[in-house]
C-alpha cells in the first residue's frame, strides 16, 4: 500500500480593518502593529485614517513633501501650520534627492529622524524603508507587524514593478500597497490564506494572479468565479475582474500570488 503524506499548511489570516474608523473595529479580531510608509505620490483620500492607525510613520524621501503639502486638504484644521505640526513622521528615509530643503529642515526641527541613504543607489526608497523595519523589528513581533504603503501604485510603471518586487523580496512580512482605487498584498505559497472582507470599505471587484512563477494548482472559495486546482500564468489564464461573494475568501496555491481588491469611496 502506498501512503501519501499531505503537509498541513498553517493558515494566514488577512483583514483590511485598518481602513475602518477605530470605533468600528471588532474587538474580537487580533490587533495588528501597523507601520505606515509614505512614498512620493499623491496621498490617498483616507490618509488621516491610516496615520491614526499607525504606531510608526516613515516618509520615503519625497513622501515627506506629500505630507507637508497635502495633509491639510484632508483635515478639518483651520490652517496649514496646525496640520503640519500635528502630522510629523518619526523617520524620513531615502537618498534625499526628492525632499525639498525647507521640508527637510521643518521635520528635522520637529524631531523627525533623517536617515540619509544617498550612499546606497542599489535599492529603491521603499526597499530602504522596509529593510529598516525588517532590521529593527524583533523576530517575535514580525508576525504581528503589518506595513501599509501609500504612493506605491500609480505613476511610472517601472516604479510600480519595483514596489511589487519588494513584496517578494520581503515575502515573510505583511506588506500592503494602497492607492485610492485598490490594495495589493502578497499571498505566500507557504500558507493557506483566509481573507476577511470588510465589505463597507472594499470590494466587490478583485483579482488573483502569480507573478514570477506560474501556479499549477490554485483553489479558492468565496468568489463568484472560484478556482479549483486551476493553472494560472501570464500568457494564459489569470483571475481578474472577479467578484467577492462571501465575508471570507480562502486561497491555497503552489505559487506566490498577488491579491488585489477594489476600495470603496472612503471618506
Amino acid at each position: 500500500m502506498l501512503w501519501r503524506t499531505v503537509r498541513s499548511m498553517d493558515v494566514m489570516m488577512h483583514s483590511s480593518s485598518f481602513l475602518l474608523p477605530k470605533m468600528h473595529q471588532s474587538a474580537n479580531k487580533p490587533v495588528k502593529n501597523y507601520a505606515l510608509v509614505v512614498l512620493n505620490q499623491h496621498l490617498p483620500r483616507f490618509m488621516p485614517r491610516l496615520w491614526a492607525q499607525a504606531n510608526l510613520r516613515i516618509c520615503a524621501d519625497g513622501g515627506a513633501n506629500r505630507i507637508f503639502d497635502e495633509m491639510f486638504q484632508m483635515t478639518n484644521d483651520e490652517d496649514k501650520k496646525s496640520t503640519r505640526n500635528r502630522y510629523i513622521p518619526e523617520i524620513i528615509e531615502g537618498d534625499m534627492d526628492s525632499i525639498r530643503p525647507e521640508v527637510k529642515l521643518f521635520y528635522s526641527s520637529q524631531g523627525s529622524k533623517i536617515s540619509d541613504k544617498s550612499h546606497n543607489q542599489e535599492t529603491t526608497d521603499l526597499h530602504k524603508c522596509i529593510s529598516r523595519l525588517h532590521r529593527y523589528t524583533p523576530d517575535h513581533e514580525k508576525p504581528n507587524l503589518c506595513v501599509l504603503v501609500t504612493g506605491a501604485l500609480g505613476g511610472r510603471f517601472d516604479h510600480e514593478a519595483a514596489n511589487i518586487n519588494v513584496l517578494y523580496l520581503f515575502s515573510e512580512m505583511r506588506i500592503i500597497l494602497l492607492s485610492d482605487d485598490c490594495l495589493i498584498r502578497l499571498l505566500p505559497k507557504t500558507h493557506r490564506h483566509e481573507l476577511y472582507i470588510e465589505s463597507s470599505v472594499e470590494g466587490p471587484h478583485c483579482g488573483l494572479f502569480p507573478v514570477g512563477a506560474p501556479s499549477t494548482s490554485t483553489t479558492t472559495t468565496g468568489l463568484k468565479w472560484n478556482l479549483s486546482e486551476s493553472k494560472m500564468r501570464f500568457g494564459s489564464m489569470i483571475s481578474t475582474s472577479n467578484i467577492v461573494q462571501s465575508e471570507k475568501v480562502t486561497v491555497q496555491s503552489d505559487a506566490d500570488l498577488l491579491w488585489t481588491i477594489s476600495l470603496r469611496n472612503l471618506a
Side-chain angles (χ1 to χ4, degrees):
M1 179 180 292
L2 295 176
W3 293 88
R4 184 178 66 175
T5 301
V6 179
R7 183 168 62 92
S8 177
M9 302 180 74
D10 290 336
V11 174
M12 182 178 287
M13 293 183 288
H14 309 269
S15 169
S16 299
S17 58
F18 56 86
L19 291 172
L20 298 171
K22 286 191 173 182
M23 66 185 71
H24 295 153
Q25 292 181 13
S26 171
N28 298 323
K29 292 182 180 177
V31 177
K32 288 292 179 189
N33 180 23
Y34 293 108
L36 176 63
V37 176
V38 183
L39 303 186
N40 190 14
Q41 290 284 344
H42 285 298
L43 302 180
R45 58 190 179 276
F46 46 86
M47 187 66 182
R49 193 172 295 181
L50 299 181
W51 191 278
Q53 296 283 7
N55 303 105
L56 175 67
R57 300 97 174 175
I58 304 177
C59 286
D61 196 0
N65 297 339
R66 301 293 179 171
I67 298 297
F68 190 85
D69 293 337
E70 299 177 20
M71 283 298 283
F72 174 70
Q73 305 163 19
M74 303 177 183
T75 70
N76 295 320
D77 294 340
E78 295 182 357
D79 60 84
K80 289 185 177 181
K81 183 177 179 180
S82 61
T83 303
R84 288 170 179 166
N85 288 333
R86 193 150 58 93
Y87 292 96
I88 306 294
E90 284 78 12
I91 301 169
I92 300 174
E93 178 109 5
D95 57 14
M96 304 298 150
D97 65 343
S98 300
I99 185 172
R100 301 197 305 272
E102 73 274 16
V103 174
K104 183 178 178 181
L105 179 62
F106 173 77
Y107 287 125
S108 178
S109 70
Q110 295 296 314
S112 298
K113 176 180 174 60
I114 308 298
S115 179
D116 188 339
K117 293 295 191 295
S118 56
H119 61 279
N120 178 5
Q121 296 296 315
E122 301 299 318
T123 59
T124 65
D125 285 336
L126 176 58
H127 189 289
K128 292 177 176 68
C129 292
I130 301 299
S131 292
R132 165 180 282 276
L133 289 167
H134 185 269
R135 190 166 59 249
Y136 289 109
T137 302
D139 288 343
H140 70 277
E141 293 182 9
K142 283 175 182 171
N144 200 45
L145 175 66
C146 183
V147 185
L148 310 174
V149 183
T150 68
L153 306 173
R156 283 170 41 188
F157 180 69
D158 59 330
H159 287 172
E160 289 183 308
N163 294 331
I164 290 171
N165 189 47
V166 168
L167 301 183
Y168 285 81
L169 290 170
F170 297 91
S171 61
E172 74 280 14
M173 297 181 67
R174 294 175 183 262
I175 304 171
I176 302 174
L177 309 183
L178 292 148
S179 74
D180 269 333
D181 303 310
C182 70
L183 64 77
I184 297 175
R185 68 172 92 223
L186 182 70
L187 306 182
K189 63 184 178 182
T190 52
H191 291 73
R192 290 187 296 115
H193 298 274
E194 295 181 353
L195 298 111
Y196 292 88
I197 306 303
E198 301 288 353
S199 58
S200 64
V201 294
E202 63 181 343
H205 299 96
C206 63
L208 191 66
F209 42 88
V211 175
S215 167
T216 61
S217 178
T218 296
T219 298
T220 68
T221 65
L223 302 178
K224 184 174 183 178
W225 295 285
N226 277 310
L227 305 172
S228 180
E229 298 182 355
S230 302
K231 296 179 180 179
M232 289 195 296
R233 65 177 177 86
F234 277 92
S236 183
M237 194 275 286
I238 59 175
S239 179
T240 62
S241 299
N242 212 324
I243 301 291
V244 169
Q245 288 196 322
S246 174
E247 291 182 355
K248 182 174 79 171
V249 172
T250 68
V251 179
Q252 184 167 347
S253 180
D254 63 350
D256 296 335
L257 301 178
L258 290 179
W259 163 263
T260 183
I261 189 167
S262 58
L263 298 182
R264 297 183 184 273
N265 188 19
L266 306 179

